[in-house]
Structures are given as C-alpha cells and as structure tokens.
Amino acid sequence: MDKIKDIYYFSWLSLLFQCFVERIFLVFYYRVLHKTRVEFIGEKPCHSKNYLIVSNHRSMKDPPLLGNALRLPFAFIAKKELFDSFFLKIFMWLSSTISVDRSKTESSTFRAAKKALKSKALGMAWSSAIFIEGTRSKDPKLLGKPNKGAMFLAKLAKVPVLPVGISYREGKEILVKVGEPYEIDYKADLEDQAWDCLEKISELCDYQVPER
C-alpha cells in the first residue's frame, strides 16, 4: 500500500480525482446551497507555482471548500483521527490528504507536505493546505491562537504563503477571501511569523485576532 501511495500521491491521477469532485459535486453544494462567494485580493494564484495555503478553520466544510474556491491541486494536512473512518479514509487517500498526529507531529508529515510542495502534474503545481489554528475555532468572534507548524513548513519548503479567510454568515452564505501570496522571513521567529499570518487572515475574514 505504501508503494502504491508513493506513486499515486501528488500525481496526475489524484489531480484528476480532485478536479472531478470539485467540478461535479462541490459546485452545487457550495455555490448553490451555501451561496459561496470567492474574492481574490489582487491577482489569482498562478497554477504553475507551489503555495502553502494557510486558512482559518470554522467548520468541517472547510477542507473541500478551499478546493472548490481556489481550484488548485493541493494536499490537505488533516488530523489522523479522520482516517479512522473507512469511507472517509478512502476519499482522503484519493485526494492525497496527509495525516498529522496533533499530539506529536512526526517528521513524515513534513516530508510528505514538502514533497507535495515540490510536485507538479499535467503542468500544474501542487500546493499544500493547513489550518493555522490547528483545530476549529468555536468562538463566534475570535480566531484561535496560531500554530507555528505552518510557518515551519513554509520555511522548510521555501514556498510562498497564500493566506485565506473563511467567513460563515447568516442565510448559509459563505465568503472566502484569498489574499496576496507572500514570502515569510526565514530568519525571524516562527511564532512571531505565525501571529503575523493570523493577522493577515483576520483582515480577510469576519473574525478578530485573540490576545497573545
């Protein structure tokens, strides 16, 4: 299984699976049922560049929502508990989802994410996506405190960070704002960089930065 996974992950086959799901199933679910709007601050992300997509997290709908909004092939980093469900595990495997143990992040997680951030398929660059808060924020007004793991990955892979803000509004409306990609300061403290990224995300969504 591991050998098959190594060949399949971040390949053109996984890319085609993501495109099929996004174009056939997710368009109706998000664009029609949930009245999702997507706004880009500046130019849209380039399909030929690898990005580390960093977003806030409010709902279980967020991972496929990012795929539908950005239309970029990306490997999502998800908690390992989600792989306990057989059917969800198959779906995430087909989507090239990377498992992470939140109690003790393993080097294999970063190696897999770095591989994604160096991969290309059918002329399109793979990106990786991660929630900076690590888990869903349940406060109606505030974001959760940032996890510096996202910044460590950006430093490790040396790719630009693409901040995304997700806002859930009344009437089932969802607003996704995509910011300008930027390079982190590789010499600066990672925790400081994580808070800076959280502030950028806060400017893109309806939620405020918590006290540090």
Side-chain angles (χ1 to χ4, degrees):
M1 177 63 75
D2 288 339
K3 291 183 178 180
I4 296 175
K5 183 177 176 181
D6 288 339
I7 295 172
Y8 177 82
Y9 262 44
F10 326 132
S11 71
W12 63 273
L13 284 171
S14 184
L15 187 154
L16 290 179
F17 176 79
Q18 287 192 8
C19 289
F20 174 77
V21 172
E22 290 166 8
R23 294 335 187 246
I24 302 300
F25 297 104
L26 299 184
V27 167
F28 177 78
Y29 182 77
Y30 287 110
R31 303 300 173 102
V32 178
L33 294 183
H34 286 280
K35 305 175 184 178
T36 302
R37 292 191 297 116
V38 181
E39 297 180 6
F40 291 89
I41 308 303
E43 296 184 2
K44 291 184 178 182
C46 179
H47 285 84
S48 62
K49 291 184 178 180
N50 304 90
Y51 299 99
L52 177 63
I53 302 163
V54 184
S55 170
N56 64 307
H57 192 15
R58 307 296 294 190
S59 167
M60 290 294 290
K61 304 183 187 78
D62 294 341
L65 171 63
L66 286 176
N68 180 255
L70 295 171
R71 302 293 176 87
L72 296 172
F74 68 82
F76 202 84
I77 301 174
K79 61 182 181 180
K80 70 172 187 177
E81 289 82 1
L82 294 176
F83 287 79
D84 293 339
S85 167
F86 175 77
F87 293 105
L88 191 55
K89 178 179 181 179
I90 294 299
F91 178 82
M92 291 193 293
W93 189 87
L94 290 172
S95 302
S96 293
T97 302
I98 300 168
S99 171
V100 61
D101 185 342
R102 293 185 298 180
S103 64
K104 52 171 183 176
T105 305
E106 299 173 340
S107 58
S108 59
T109 298
F110 289 110
R111 285 199 304 270
K114 183 180 179 180
K115 180 180 177 181
L117 291 167
K118 300 295 182 182
S119 298
K120 290 189 177 182
L122 299 179
M124 300 178 68
W126 276 83
S127 294
S128 188
I130 189 170
F131 294 128
I132 194 166
E133 300 151 293
T135 187
R136 284 177 288 168
S137 174
K138 298 180 180 179
D139 192 299
K141 297 182 180 179
L142 296 177
L143 296 168
K145 292 186 177 181
N147 189 313
K148 64 182 181 181
M151 300 299 102
F152 176 79
L153 182 54
K155 180 179 180 180
L156 181 68
K158 292 183 170 53
V159 294
V161 170
L162 182 64
V164 178
I166 301 174
S167 302
Y168 285 83
R169 299 179 172 184
E170 294 181 1
K172 292 187 176 181
E173 181 184 88
I174 305 174
L175 176 61
V176 181
K177 281 190 176 182
V178 184
E180 292 272 11
Y182 72 98
E183 299 281 351
I184 69 168
D185 184 347
Y186 299 125
K187 296 181 180 180
D189 181 77
L190 292 179
E191 186 172 351
D192 290 338
Q193 295 274 9
W195 280 97
D196 289 344
C197 184
L198 192 72
E199 289 180 1
K200 293 180 185 296
I201 292 172
S202 176
E203 294 172 359
L204 297 169
C205 64
D206 294 338
Y207 315 109
Q208 302 301 311
V209 177
E211 290 187 9
R212 187 165 177 173

